[in-house]
Amino acid sequence: MKRAKKRFEANKLGVMSVEETRKKMVEMIGVNKIYADHDGHGSNHVVKDLNLSVYEGEFLTLLGSSGCGKTTTLRMVAGFEEATSGTIHVEGESVGSKEPFERDVNTVFQSYALFPHMTVHDNVAYGLKMKKVKKPEIKKRVEEMLELVQLGGFEKRYPSQLSGGQKQRVAIARALINQPKVLLLDEPLGALDLKLRKQMQIELKRLQKKLNITFIYVTHDQEEALIMSDRIAIMDSGVLQQVGDPTDIYENPKTKFVATFIGETNLFEGSVAEVSGDAIGITVESGGFTVKGANFAAGELITVSVQPEKMLYSATPVPGFALQGLVKDQVYVGSILKTIVVLSDGQEVKIERLAGQELPKNGLVYLFWNDADAKLIRDMDSVVYEAAENVTL
Amino acid sequence: MNKKLKKRIFKVSGTSFCALVYAFLFLPIVVIVTNSFNATTTKPYQTWKGFTFDWYVRLFDGSNASLLDSFKNTIIIAVTSTLLATVIGTLAAVGMYRYTFRGKSVIDGMLYIPVVIPEIVIGIALLTIFALVNVPRGMLTLILSHVSFSIPFVIFNVRARLAGYDNSIEEASMDLGAGRIGTLLRITLPVLTPGILGGALLAFTLSIDDVIISKFVAGNTYTFPLKVWDSIKSGVSPAVNALSTLILIGTIVFVVLTQSNLLKSEKRKSFKKKRKAR
Ligand SMILES: Nc1ncnc2c1ncn2[C@@H]1O[C@H](COP(=O)(O)OP(=O)(O)OP(=O)(O)O)[C@@H](O)[C@H]1O
Ligand SMILES: [Mg+2]
């Protein structure tokens, strides 16, 4: 996590304002996917009104929990699945009517999908053969490509004679050899062990920068997403929740889902009791507190997110905060001390400290935080609520 | 001491049991081969009258034309029906693997019926149908019948291969620029080849030695098994033994050729294991 955070700091300066001037490589406009149920009727709305642009040379990660529609989204871009509605552009051109083999997009499959009856060489050469490239040229380019993924000398092996990581690299080499404009990667590191995974993350990132290819990368590992991506798009049950660079996503989650999905966080759900200037009084079940913010009205539902390392505590009451809890568990994870404080309504608040700063066991503590560390999230449910109320029939 | 003795008894009895099983399997074949060199000329051709190549010569000098003819029929029928059954069965297996449709499980179950029904029932059924629609019995009806009883075996074989088949390799192929036909020829068929060949071999074998069904639908046409069957009444002529011996040799050559390929890939596997162990 720490390493990831350092990266954002580095990223922050460069990336943000440049986006508008860069070329859009893939653009999804109002894309929906509805699967028919097995018996032909009924339906399963898997991707909902997706609008997303991916820019030239960008490493964009689609992040979301299992079954949220990431693979389906990739498959629509690759052409294996047809969008129920909406359009997909690759390099400004609609690809709706194009077959997979007509699209300038290549895929690294979740299951590798290497051709079992072909050698490593023939697997990698396949794309060039289809393009009718001359034999000596194929040989040269395959060699180069295998060198690039550090598999020189493996040409004559069959896929069954390779380790997981080697198969993975063959799959990547095979997809890259046609020099696609866009490479789609569906959890390419999912089957690897942790060490190899870390190593491949770095290798992939290096390849992507070197070849300057647009990557759309699917994962459900948030740490992987934070480390590798230029931008992250977070999906939940087919709905795009937030798109932004890692820092942005981490520091300013726009929805409760994003806040909980990226890292651990404490969510305080309540309603706005009063607003005076930029101070908002909030009541939650276990008490209340004041935060700084704008554009909230009394009565509105609100969620406040505070990260464990930003939680503060005191033995005496703190002005502006009425959150009291009992210290329950304290565990060391490496050099980090993780503490759980239970509030009066049973909510467990996570606190992280460096080793040595233990809280009084079973003691009563008052929780608070600095204004800047509280992220205010407008509750989507309440927005929907309002919208529904405004409809006149 | 006691243990040693036990071991020995086990070993001896095991070996002799094996020998008996093999004798049981191969003695009839030995008899056939031997008899093909029998110089006897009197029915029922069973007493040994000395060694001769005569029967092999006579096989091809015109005096056994009808026997050779029947063998030619058998080969034509086997090759044609195998080709047809393999194509149809492979397509059916792939189609049923890929698509879901109403009543699929019923159709699936029905595949087993022709396999378990007594052949005699199929024979009568086919004969009835051919008579009903007035198809003259002969080569055509023989081929059609053989195709019909071979198809399920091809389907089962190809389907066994499909069980471990990863659909995404076809998608990968198209992703890399191959069209549908190209993908079928370069990916799907080669990967399924062992299953398809297995099915074809089975269909070929079934066709070559089928008697019961053929008997019903053959009309005046003779296949090799039917010819032999008919000649039993008058004692099997050593010419039949000679032809059988030739078929046997052909089969052995074929098996050795294919098995040696198998052996090679086995060797590669064990080589891999050794490398892993190191
Ligand atoms: N061919 C299909 N027919 C019907 N429903 C499907 C089909 N493919 C996927 N689904 C459904 O669509 C939803 C999204 O699937 P998808 O494969 O896109 O998820 P995912 O985000 O890639 O998940 P994971 O991280 O587990 O791979 C799931 O609920 C799944 O059951
Ligand atoms: Mg998936």
Side-chain angles (χ1 to χ4, degrees):
Chain A
M1 201 46 123
K2 263 202 193 127
R3 190 150 49 112
K5 241 183 277 168
K6 244 179 228 156
R7 267 201 82 90
F8 326 153
E9 251 59 287
N11 273 347
K12 205 171 189 174
L13 300 168
V15 184
M16 292 178 84
S17 61
V18 194
E19 276 165 16
E20 288 73 22
T21 62
R22 279 195 291 174
K23 193 166 124 195
K24 280 181 185 168
M25 289 305 294
V26 176
E27 191 178 15
M28 291 169 246
I29 307 163
V31 171
N32 281 280
K33 178 70 197 182
I34 302 173
Y35 281 117
D37 271 353
H38 296 295
D39 46 5
H41 38 77
S43 63
N44 186 6
H45 202 158
V46 175
V47 174
K48 295 167 189 156
D49 198 32
L50 179 64
N51 291 291
L52 180 63
S53 296
V54 191
Y55 298 92
E56 190 170 20
E58 184 177 41
F59 194 124
L60 180 116
T61 298
L62 270 180
L63 180 63
S65 41
S66 184
C68 72
K70 307 179 296 286
T71 298
T72 306
T73 306
L74 277 201
R75 290 174 60 81
M76 286 191 290
V77 177
F80 303 130
E81 214 74 70
E82 208 179 325
T84 311
S85 68
T87 47
I88 297 174
H89 295 262
V90 175
E91 272 199 298
E93 206 184 321
S94 171
V95 291
S97 56
K98 282 192 176 176
E99 295 276 7
F101 42 87
E102 296 167 328
R103 301 190 185 194
D104 225 349
V105 168
N106 284 129
T107 308
V108 177
F109 290 82
Q110 196 160 0
S111 55
Y112 313 137
L114 298 182
F115 307 132
H117 59 301
M118 293 185 189
T119 59
V120 167
H121 174 278
D122 290 350
N123 262 282
V124 177
Y126 195 82
L128 294 178
K129 246 183 225 159
M130 291 306 111
K131 278 193 172 169
K132 308 226 156 36
V133 176
K134 295 235 162 51
K135 267 216 173 116
E137 159 122 19
I138 290 185
K139 193 163 183 290
K140 193 176 125 249
R141 276 173 64 183
V142 169
E143 257 167 35
E144 280 172 13
M145 194 40 91
L146 286 177
E147 220 48 68
L148 193 67
V149 294
Q150 300 170 0
L151 276 181
F154 282 71
E155 283 86 350
K156 295 224 170 65
R157 296 254 195 122
Y158 282 88
S160 62
Q161 300 169 310
L162 298 176
S163 75
Q166 291 164 343
K167 280 185 201 163
Q168 186 56 66
R169 279 179 281 176
V170 175
I172 291 166
R174 187 180 68 176
L176 279 176
I177 199 149
N178 276 2
Q179 298 170 346
K181 309 247 164 57
V182 180
L183 190 67
L184 310 176
L185 303 99
D186 193 353
E187 299 193 33
L189 309 182
L192 306 183
D193 63 55
L194 192 66
K195 193 170 160 230
L196 194 56
R197 209 180 154 100
K198 296 274 174 224
Q199 191 185 329
M200 286 297 295
Q201 284 173 358
I202 296 165
E203 270 185 55
L204 265 182
K205 185 77 189 168
R206 172 180 66 85
L207 270 178
Q208 189 255 342
K209 284 281 165 263
K210 186 166 170 183
L211 304 171
N212 196 34
I213 294 177
T214 305
F215 270 34
I216 304 184
Y217 187 96
V218 161
T219 181
H220 55 235
D221 179 342
Q222 47 105 2
E223 192 178 338
E224 187 167 288
L226 290 172
I227 291 171
M228 299 176 79
S229 322
D230 295 326
R231 282 194 310 152
I232 301 176
I234 299 190
M235 285 178 82
D236 179 33
S237 339
V239 180
L240 187 61
Q241 299 280 317
Q242 188 173 354
V243 191
D245 64 89
T247 332
D248 191 31
I249 297 263
Y250 191 80
E251 307 262 309
N252 300 305
K254 291 233 171 62
T255 67
K256 271 193 277 186
F257 179 82
V258 175
T260 43
F261 200 73
I262 289 280
E264 282 180 297
T265 191
N266 296 301
L267 293 184
F268 300 94
E269 297 175 25
S271 60
V272 178
E274 54 174 331
V275 181
S276 60
D278 66 345
I280 306 172
I282 294 171
T283 42
V284 295
E285 252 188 71
S286 49
F289 46 82
T290 335
V291 294
K292 292 262 188 295
N295 294 328
F296 280 93
E300 223 176 316
L301 295 180
I302 190 171
T303 302
V304 176
S305 156
V306 183
Q307 280 149 11
E309 65 270 24
K310 305 281 174 59
M311 288 298 304
L312 304 174
Y313 56 87
S314 151
T316 53
V318 183
F321 290 88
L323 286 174
Q324 210 179 9
L326 271 175
V327 178
K328 191 177 154 207
D329 293 323
Q330 307 202 63
V331 214
Y332 278 101
V333 179
S335 57
I336 304 281
L337 173 66
K338 294 193 171 192
T339 309
I340 303 279
V341 172
V342 184
L343 302 184
S344 60
D345 64 339
Q347 183 185 350
E348 299 193 336
V349 177
K350 289 161 272 189
I351 305 178
E352 277 181 29
R353 284 288 177 282
L354 285 176
Q357 308 179 31
E358 283 176 29
L359 274 70
K361 190 141 187 137
N362 290 326
L364 209 55
V365 291
Y366 295 89
L367 299 178
F368 67 105
W369 51 80
N370 293 323
D371 278 338
D373 294 333
K375 307 287 178 270
L376 308 192
I377 300 167
R378 201 180 294 272
D379 202 305
M380 281 302 160
D381 296 343
S382 76
V383 175
V384 174
Y385 238 50
E386 274 166 34
E389 272 169 10
N390 289 342
V391 173
T392 44
L393 296 167
Chain B
M1 174 65 197
N2 198 8
K3 212 174 168 188
K4 239 182 188 173
L5 193 71
K6 252 192 202 163
K7 240 185 186 171
R8 219 164 137 180
I9 293 175
F10 268 124
K11 204 173 167 190
V12 170
S13 58
T15 314
S16 40
F17 180 71
C18 266
L20 278 176
V21 169
Y22 270 73
F24 184 71
L25 285 176
F26 285 94
L27 219 54
I29 296 177
V30 172
V31 170
I32 282 201
V33 175
T34 322
N35 221 21
S36 72
F37 298 107
N38 193 350
T40 178
T41 49
T42 46
K43 288 177 184 177
Y45 308 107
Q46 263 159 14
T47 34
W48 182 254
K49 292 272 173 63
F51 185 91
T52 177
F53 275 114
D54 245 23
W55 294 110
Y56 289 88
V57 178
R58 274 207 228 167
L59 205 48
F60 299 104
D61 70 357
S63 57
N64 277 299
S66 67
L67 185 63
L68 275 189
D69 233 33
S70 71
F71 183 68
K72 197 180 84 194
N73 285 344
T74 288
I75 294 296
I76 292 173
I77 293 167
V79 169
T80 324
S81 70
T82 298
L83 281 178
L84 289 173
T86 305
V87 171
I88 297 172
T90 302
L91 290 178
V94 172
M96 289 180 56
Y97 167 78
R98 187 150 311 163
Y99 303 105
T100 44
F101 46 86
R102 199 182 289 267
K104 180 174 171 177
S105 54
V106 177
I107 291 187
D108 217 62
M110 279 166 65
L111 278 180
Y112 290 88
I113 295 177
V115 177
V116 294
I117 286 189
E119 273 192 66
I120 195 143
V121 177
I122 301 181
I124 295 170
L126 284 167
L127 178 62
T128 315
I129 288 181
F130 291 138
L132 264 178
V133 295
N134 240 334
V135 188
R137 262 71 74 199
M139 287 296 268
L140 179 67
T141 50
L142 276 166
I143 289 173
L144 287 178
S145 309
H146 286 209
V147 168
S148 105
F149 70 66
S150 300
I151 285 176
F153 292 95
V154 177
I155 294 184
F156 293 150
N157 254 281
V158 176
R159 191 193 283 173
R161 184 76 189 169
L162 277 168
Y165 186 74
D166 178 10
N167 232 339
S168 58
I169 60 174
E170 287 179 10
E171 288 179 349
S173 161
M174 287 204 257
D175 192 64
L176 292 164
R180 287 175 210 288
I181 305 283
T183 299
L184 179 74
L185 295 180
R186 288 165 187 276
I187 306 296
T188 316
L189 287 182
V191 171
L192 293 183
T193 295
I196 296 173
L197 280 187
L201 211 60
L202 207 55
F204 191 77
T205 315
L206 286 173
S207 166
I208 260 192
D209 70 359
D210 179 72
V211 177
I212 301 176
I213 295 176
S214 300
K215 187 85 186 160
F216 280 94
V217 300
N220 294 325
T221 310
Y222 272 100
T223 64
F224 179 60
L226 290 181
K227 191 86 196 165
V228 174
W229 184 253
D230 268 18
S231 69
I232 282 179
K233 285 173 232 154
S234 53
V236 179
S237 139
V240 170
N241 290 355
L243 186 50
S244 301
T245 305
L246 290 180
I247 295 175
L248 187 71
I249 292 169
T251 313
I252 289 173
V253 168
F254 180 79
V255 168
V256 166
L257 284 182
T258 47
Q259 288 297 105
S260 70
N261 249 343
L262 264 178
L263 281 182
K264 253 187 228 156
S265 59
E266 280 301 313
K267 252 187 210 157
R268 212 173 60 204
K269 260 186 218 153
S270 64
F271 171 68
K272 201 182 115 198
K273 262 185 211 148
K274 261 184 222 151
R275 278 184 63 105
K276 258 195 187 157
R278 241 188 260 162

